[in-house]
Amino acid sequence: MGENHLMLKRIARLEDEALSRLKEVKSLETLNDWRIQVLGKKSELVMIQRTIRELPIKERPAIGQHSNRTRKQLEDAFEKRKEELEKLRLDPLLKEQLDVTLPGWPVGLGSLHPSTQVLREIQSIFAEMGFQVFDGPEIETDLYNFELLNMPANHPARDMWDTLYISDTVLLRTHTSPGQIRAMRAFCPQPIRVILPGKCYRYEAITSRSEVMFHQVEGLAVGKRITLADLKGVLVEFGRKMFGPKREIRFRCSHFPFTEPSVEVDMDCLVCEGSGCSVCKQTGWVEILGAGMVHPKVLENGGYDSEIFSGFAFGMGPERIFMLKYGIDDIRLFFRNDLRFLRQFE
Ligand code: FA5
C-alpha cells in the first residue's frame, strides 16, 4: 500500500508541475517542447505507466486509472493552450493586452544643467535692472568678432583670443562681444540695455579653469550721459544679488581694444570675507569679469554718434561665477556629463 501511495503522490506532483509550466508557455514552439517533455515517449508519465504491470495485481487499477486521468487532463490542457496561442497568433492585438490597473513606471525627471541654471539666474538679476536678452550667432565673421571691435587684421590684441577658424573670414565666436555690434545696429538710434548670453569657443588648452567651449554673458548699455559710475552701480547690484548683500566690488585697470577705459572687476572673496585664503590666492579678491566704457570707434561701428552717446559693456563667464558660488574647483565637471556632479544641483 505504501508503494501505491508514493506512486499516486508522484503522479499528482508531476501533474501540478506540468500544469504550472504550461502557464509559462508563450509560443506554439515551446508548447510542442512541453508536449514532448510531459506526454512524449520518454516522459515521466509514460515511464510510470510502463511500470504498472510490475505492480501487484490489486494495486494496478488505482494507479492505472489515476495515471490515465492525469494523461487526459494534461492532453486537454495542451489542446486548450494550443487554441489560445493560435488565437493570439492570428490576432496581434490580443498579444498587446494592457492591464490599466497596474501601477505605471516611475518617470525619470531630468533637471536643468548648472550652466543653464546660472544663465537663468544672471538673466533674471539683469532683467530686474531693465536689461533684455539679445541673441547673437555662435558662428561669426572675422568682421564682427574682431574688426568692428577695433581689432583690424594683424592687430596684436587678437592674440588674446585663440580662435577656431572655419574659413579665412568665418570663425566660432571667441567671446560674446560681437553681439554688441549686432545689438547696436539693431537698436540704433535708441538707447540700449541688453545682455547677450551664449556659448563661446577658444582654441585653448583645457585646464581646471579653462574649457574649449564655455558660456559668456555680455552686458551692454548705450545712451546719453552713461558713465563708469553706472557700470559700477550695475555690477555692485549684480554681485550682491548673486553672492549676497555684503559683497564689495573693485575695479582694476586693464585693456580691451573695444573699451576705453577698460577694467577687470574683482569681488571680495566670499570664502574668507577678504582676509585671504587659497581661493583668492591670499589677496582677498577674486576676479569676476572684464568690462569698460564702449570705445568711441565701436559706438560709431554700431551706428551711434560717439559725441552724443556713450555706453558701458562687460563680459563674464557664468561657469566661473557658478564655481565661485558653489566652491567648485574644476570647470571640466560642467561638460563631462557625470550624473554624480549634475545631480547635486537638481
Ligand atoms: C572677454 O572675452 C571680453 N570680451 C570681455 C569684455 C566684454 C570686456 C565687454 C570688456 C567689455 P576675457 O577673455 O577675459 O574677456 O573673458 C571673459 C570671461 O570669460 C572670463 O572672465 C572668464 O570668466 C570667461 N572665460 C574666458 N575664457 C574662458 C575659458 N577658456 N573657459 C571658461 N571661461 C572662460
Side-chain angles (χ1 to χ4, degrees):
M1 207 47 203
E3 270 293 306
N4 194 352
H5 180 68
L6 278 180
M7 199 77 107
L8 290 173
K9 261 180 98 175
R10 200 169 143 204
I11 295 169
R13 180 184 45 78
L14 180 155
E15 183 181 331
D16 281 351
E17 279 176 12
L19 289 175
S20 82
R21 261 192 293 132
L22 187 62
K23 283 189 203 143
E24 307 295 316
V25 171
K26 298 277 188 286
S27 73
L28 288 166
E29 292 72 34
T30 45
L31 180 65
N32 199 39
D33 294 343
W34 179 91
R35 188 186 58 78
I36 293 168
Q37 238 180 30
V38 172
L39 299 164
K41 278 190 220 146
K42 291 184 185 157
S43 64
E44 197 181 348
L45 187 62
V46 169
M47 296 298 163
I48 290 171
Q49 288 180 320
R50 275 199 200 131
T51 55
I52 291 177
R53 58 185 117 102
E54 289 156 26
L55 294 172
I57 290 180
K58 63 176 169 83
E59 286 181 10
R60 287 184 204 168
I63 305 290
Q65 278 165 19
H66 198 70
S67 67
N68 282 340
R69 204 169 44 239
T70 295
R71 185 172 189 88
K72 173 89 176 62
Q73 254 161 19
L74 292 174
E75 278 168 358
D76 288 350
F78 169 80
E79 288 303 331
K80 190 163 161 241
R81 188 77 188 123
K82 192 168 153 201
E83 230 170 79
E84 284 167 3
L85 289 172
E86 261 161 5
K87 216 154 108 195
L88 274 183
R89 193 161 63 169
L90 294 176
D91 186 353
L93 276 182
L94 284 175
K95 248 193 231 170
E96 290 170 24
Q97 277 176 13
L98 187 68
D99 184 349
V100 290
T101 63
L102 284 176
W105 294 104
V107 179
L109 277 186
S111 62
L112 291 179
H113 187 277
S115 296
T116 310
Q117 289 182 31
V118 69
L119 280 170
R120 290 199 181 174
E121 195 175 349
I122 293 170
Q123 280 170 25
S124 82
I125 292 172
F126 282 104
E128 282 177 29
M129 292 189 266
F131 285 76
Q132 67 187 94
V133 173
F134 188 88
D135 279 324
E138 282 174 35
I139 297 177
E140 263 297 0
T141 55
D142 185 277
L143 183 70
Y144 278 85
N145 199 79
F146 291 123
E147 220 157 295
L148 295 172
L149 291 173
N150 201 22
M151 284 178 278
N154 303 320
H155 192 291
R158 286 183 174 218
D159 285 354
M160 287 162 75
W161 293 276
D162 296 308
T163 310
L164 289 155
Y165 281 90
I166 293 171
S167 71
D168 285 349
T169 51
V170 180
L171 47 82
L172 294 178
R173 69 176 172 196
T174 54
H175 50 176
T176 41
S177 300
Q180 286 187 33
I181 304 285
R182 292 188 181 275
M184 285 191 242
R185 289 187 171 182
F187 285 101
C188 185
Q190 303 298 322
I192 303 178
R193 228 185 285 176
V194 290
I195 56 166
L196 305 110
K199 292 193 185 92
C200 301
Y201 303 82
R202 290 189 194 174
Y203 184 50
E204 272 183 17
I206 296 174
T207 68
S208 60
R209 297 269 306 151
S210 302
E211 263 290 354
V212 168
M213 191 280 295
F214 56 95
H215 291 87
Q216 277 193 351
V217 178
E218 191 88 4
L220 173 70
V222 177
K224 293 175 184 165
R225 292 184 297 278
I226 288 185
T227 68
L228 201 64
D230 296 314
L231 171 63
K232 191 159 187 186
V234 164
L235 293 179
V236 168
E237 178 71 6
F238 166 71
R240 292 184 180 164
K241 285 259 166 66
M242 189 62 154
F243 293 102
K246 286 195 290 182
R247 299 278 66 90
E248 293 294 339
I249 295 287
R250 78 171 183 187
F251 282 1
R252 254 183 312 113
C253 287
S254 185
H255 173 74
F256 295 103
F258 35 89
T259 46
E260 182 57 38
S262 303
V263 290
E264 298 271 12
V265 181
D266 296 342
M267 187 181 71
D268 61 331
C269 178
L270 67 164
V271 176
C272 63
E273 301 282 344
S275 60
C277 70
S278 61
V279 171
C280 60
K281 300 194 186 86
Q282 311 304 330
T283 63
W285 297 92
V286 284
E287 185 193 314
I288 58 164
L289 51 90
M293 298 306 289
V294 181
H295 194 289
K297 272 198 189 159
V298 175
L299 279 174
E300 301 281 343
N301 288 340
Y304 288 86
D305 182 344
S306 62
E307 296 291 331
I308 304 169
F309 285 90
S310 58
F312 65 71
F314 56 84
M316 68 178 88
E319 278 86 20
R320 296 231 185 120
I321 298 276
F322 195 88
M323 288 164 77
L324 212 53
K325 189 163 175 176
Y326 293 103
I328 295 157
D329 59 8
D330 197 332
I331 197 169
R332 289 169 288 200
L333 288 165
F334 281 84
F335 307 112
R336 212 179 256 166
N337 285 337
D338 186 335
L339 289 176
R340 288 170 302 178
F341 171 71
L342 299 174
R343 286 209 171 115
Q344 292 177 57
F345 306 103
E346 271 176 1

